[in-house]
Amino acid sequence: MNETAFDEPLFASLKPGLTSFCYRMLGSMDDADDAVQETSIRVWQSWSTFRQDSSFKTWVYRIASNLCLDKLRQSKRRALPVDLFDPAVAIVEPRDTLPDSAWIWPSPDFGGNPEDRLVRRDTLQLCFIALLQNLPPRQRAVLILKDVFEWSSKQIAETLAMSPAAVNSALQRARETMDRAQLRSDVLSSMDVQPEQQLLSRYVEAFEQFDIAALVALFHEEGCMSMPPFEMWIRGKEDLSAFYSLTRWHCEGSRFVPITVNGGYPALAQYMPGKEGSGLVPWGIHVIETKENQILHVQNFIHTPLFSRFGLPERIDQ
């Protein structure tokens, strides 16, 4: 084989699955895209060394896995605010933030490809991504390839340069850690059940009119709201009402655009009035999780680069 024979269509067919693997490993679409791009470059550069002693797919995933493992050795664990901090005691405007690299961010769909059928949607829930980040990197890779992609222990061993026995041992430890982990985001999650459309419509109407009483009435008694990259999050109707009153000046006049995140889960992209006075500009992505047809948790991901990632416009009319 030689470099000019590099099969770009074959690599392209693996790209959606690779992206979803790297997203689960790294917790960020930016990092996942970087890893897939670097994988493409390394596959092209190393094409002449591919001897077909393993499948092309296994060989490509070996390169992607090593890239992810290298990235994870140099980074701290990503998380969600509710798993790092207790709810706010004093209701003030949020100020303290952590870097973008500290947080798990939602993802758009990875593209229509037969490989995606192997990828269970429940393993794209934000709480599952958060749980994965508790695992050592190699255990994380083993668990994703086995329990999400349903690879054999032999194929995983070839991909990660491990023995099948080591793969099975790592898988057992990873599953035990996942079972033991007690993350608040997991307790608050309901991404496996889509919210009622009527509830979403009422949320949009109350927020766009900024009717605080109507908005808070939609929340469960245990309802809460988090806003990465801010550390602060709010729990309980009384505190939610106080917070909305405090931030009215910022959010009043907002409009929503419906989108889907993490495997097709409904979400809302919030646009707020711009400083120039004409049009609305990106602010946050609201992921709304429910319980008993009430809002249990609003995760408002305040990260404007997400808007271009989801193919959303830079500005909309008021």
Side-chain angles (χ1 to χ4, degrees):
M1 291 188 180
N2 54 63
E3 290 180 353
T4 60
F6 173 51
D7 193 335
E8 291 188 32
L10 184 57
F11 181 84
S13 71
L14 297 178
K15 192 172 180 180
L18 274 175
T19 304
S20 66
F21 169 76
C22 293
Y23 172 66
R24 287 175 176 84
M25 284 290 291
L26 303 171
S28 158
M29 278 300 297
D30 286 342
D31 285 0
D33 277 351
D34 288 346
V36 172
Q37 178 64 24
E38 183 63 25
T39 298
S40 174
I41 293 169
R42 292 194 184 184
V43 166
W44 182 82
Q45 290 175 336
S46 307
W47 182 250
S48 61
T49 67
F50 176 48
R51 302 301 181 191
Q52 296 185 328
D53 53 347
S54 62
S55 73
F56 177 71
K57 179 178 176 180
T58 299
W59 181 60
V60 169
Y61 270 81
R62 182 184 305 152
I63 294 171
S65 298
N66 286 333
L67 280 165
C68 287
L69 293 174
D70 286 343
K71 283 179 176 287
L72 290 168
R73 290 188 190 100
Q74 303 167 20
S75 62
K76 295 182 179 179
R77 176 173 72 94
R78 290 179 178 267
L80 296 166
V82 295
D83 293 328
L84 293 182
F85 306 99
D86 289 329
V89 175
I91 303 305
V92 297
E93 288 186 30
R95 298 190 183 280
D96 295 333
T97 64
L98 292 180
D100 292 344
S101 60
W103 304 112
I104 290 165
W105 300 106
S107 76
D109 294 333
F110 301 110
N113 187 281
E115 173 130 357
D116 291 347
R117 299 192 192 104
L118 301 174
V119 180
R120 300 188 346 246
R121 178 177 156 182
D122 62 328
T123 65
L124 276 173
Q125 294 178 34
L126 289 163
C127 67
F128 184 80
I129 304 298
L131 281 169
L132 284 173
Q133 310 308 303
N134 286 293
L135 297 176
R138 193 167 293 272
Q139 287 184 28
R140 195 181 309 176
V142 168
L143 183 109
I144 294 168
L145 292 174
K146 184 67 172 179
D147 288 358
V148 178
F149 287 84
E150 298 179 353
W151 284 21
S152 68
S153 295
K154 180 177 182 296
Q155 189 177 9
I156 297 170
E158 292 175 357
T159 301
L160 300 178
M162 302 167 66
S163 68
V167 166
N168 292 333
S169 176
L171 180 63
Q172 181 180 351
R173 295 196 303 274
R175 286 172 174 169
E176 289 172 352
T177 299
M178 294 284 278
D179 288 341
R180 284 198 312 269
Q182 295 183 341
L183 296 185
R184 192 182 273 125
S185 60
D186 192 30
V187 175
L188 293 173
S189 179
S190 63
M191 286 185 73
D192 55 336
V193 179
Q194 295 201 3
E196 293 288 338
Q197 184 56 50
Q198 185 180 20
L199 179 61
L200 286 179
S201 297
R202 290 165 63 198
Y203 180 82
V204 169
E205 181 180 5
F207 200 103
E208 289 186 348
Q209 294 180 2
F210 220 73
D211 184 336
I212 295 175
L215 189 58
V216 172
L218 300 176
F219 280 83
H220 192 276
E221 287 298 328
E222 302 168 0
C224 57
M225 177 179 60
S226 57
M227 305 155 286
F230 293 103
E231 300 174 2
M232 177 184 181
W233 63 279
I234 316 296
R235 182 167 63 188
K237 289 189 174 186
E238 184 176 341
D239 284 354
L240 284 165
S241 180
F243 182 80
Y244 284 129
S245 298
L246 189 66
T247 57
R248 174 187 287 277
W249 67 273
H250 181 78
C251 291
E252 200 165 25
S254 292
R255 293 291 180 270
F256 284 119
V257 173
I259 60 170
T260 59
V261 302
N262 290 61
Y265 191 83
L268 299 163
Q270 178 192 351
Y271 286 78
M272 58 170 283
K275 293 180 180 179
E276 296 81 7
S278 62
L280 303 173
V281 296
W283 176 244
I285 304 293
H286 294 224
V287 180
I288 299 170
E289 301 186 83
T290 62
K291 178 180 180 180
E292 300 166 357
N293 202 25
Q294 294 177 299
I295 296 173
L296 181 62
H297 186 196
V298 175
Q299 298 186 76
N300 182 7
F301 293 93
I302 302 171
H303 187 52
T304 54
L306 286 172
F307 282 69
S308 59
R309 164 85 50 203
F310 281 86
L312 291 163
E314 295 180 1
R315 183 181 295 268
I316 64 173
D317 295 332
Q318 285 181 296

